[in-house]
Amino acid sequence: AGFTVLMALYIKDDPDRFDRALVSVFANTLSPDAVLIVADGPLTEALEAVLARHQAQEPTLKLHRLARNKGLAMALNEGLERIETEWVARADSDDMNRPDRFARQAAALVAAGGKLDILGCAIQEIDPDGTPLAVRRTVSGHSSICRFAARRSPFNHMTVWYRVALVRQVGGYPNIHLKEDYGLWASMM
């Protein structure tokens, strides 16, 4: 089954980090069927320049623009309406993906034999100069995820793959400031 990388972008995002994030998506060993960027309102000239350069180089990059900033939940929901694949791989506009992220996650979905609706992994946090900091791990298995979710988000949102149909079924991302993803996982549970 195919997958689309879904990413939101807004005026305060750092152009250099956004560029690195896109490079890490397109350099992956498994290419997505599409990369959909939702521009949440007007962007800076520097962000527009990064977008234009990648659009010229990458035919799978699609852009959906919102005339005004609506917030992360609304931007992602607008993107969800335009997804044509079975799966979404979430990515943030300021995070780098490991070169084998998509291949490893796709393999994990295949190994699960269709029994998963959402899949995530650990992240390596790094400071702005590139120094590795902590590794943020989560739990696996439905009951462990439900128990963990009582205390904090059970998934690192920028690592998640989810079934588009299920996310649409639960109404998409709830508009809860800074807890959009956590709210979605709770709805999916």
Side-chain angles (χ1 to χ4, degrees), residues 19 22 80 90 101 104 108 111-112 122 141 146:
D19 185 50
L22 284 181
L80 274 171
R90 275 283 284 120
R101 173 195 169 190
R104 291 178 69 175
C146 290

Side-chain angles (χ1 to χ4, degrees), residues 43-121:
L43 302 173
T44 63
E45 285 183 27
L47 287 169
E48 291 287 359
V50 172
L51 265 175
R53 190 173 74 256
H54 283 279
Q55 282 183 300
Q57 299 169 350
E58 304 294 346
T60 59
L61 186 119
K62 299 175 182 181
L63 176 64
H64 177 68
R65 291 183 183 274
L66 304 180
R68 62 179 180 80
N69 179 269
K70 294 183 176 184
L72 182 61
M74 300 291 97
L76 293 173
N77 286 335
E78 291 258 355
L80 274 171
E81 291 177 17
R82 287 151 181 83
I83 302 291
E84 298 175 0
T85 56
E86 181 181 358
W87 291 92
V88 155
R90 275 283 284 120
D92 274 350
S93 59
D94 62 351
D95 290 325
M96 292 181 293
N97 295 277
R98 294 183 57 89
D100 59 349
R101 173 195 169 190
F102 302 141
R104 291 178 69 175
Q105 289 183 303
L109 290 173
V110 169
K115 295 180 182 174
L116 295 178
D117 293 315
I118 186 169
L119 170 74
C121 60

Side-chain angles (χ1 to χ4, degrees), residues 17 92 94-96 98 121-138 152 155-159:
R17 291 182 72 143
D92 274 350
D94 62 351
D95 290 325
M96 292 181 293
R98 294 183 57 89
C121 60
I123 61 169
Q124 169 72 62
E125 295 176 325
I126 57 172
D127 70 10
D129 71 5
T131 303
L133 301 172
V135 172
R136 190 168 44 166
R137 290 174 171 60
T138 56
R152 69 181 186 107
F155 296 99
N156 293 313
H157 70 273
M158 71 292 291
T159 72

Side-chain angles (χ1 to χ4, degrees), residues 21-41:
L22 284 181
V23 166
S24 76
V25 165
F26 291 114
N28 244 263
T29 57
L30 178 64
S31 296
D33 295 274
V35 175
L36 177 59
I37 297 175
V38 180
D40 189 13

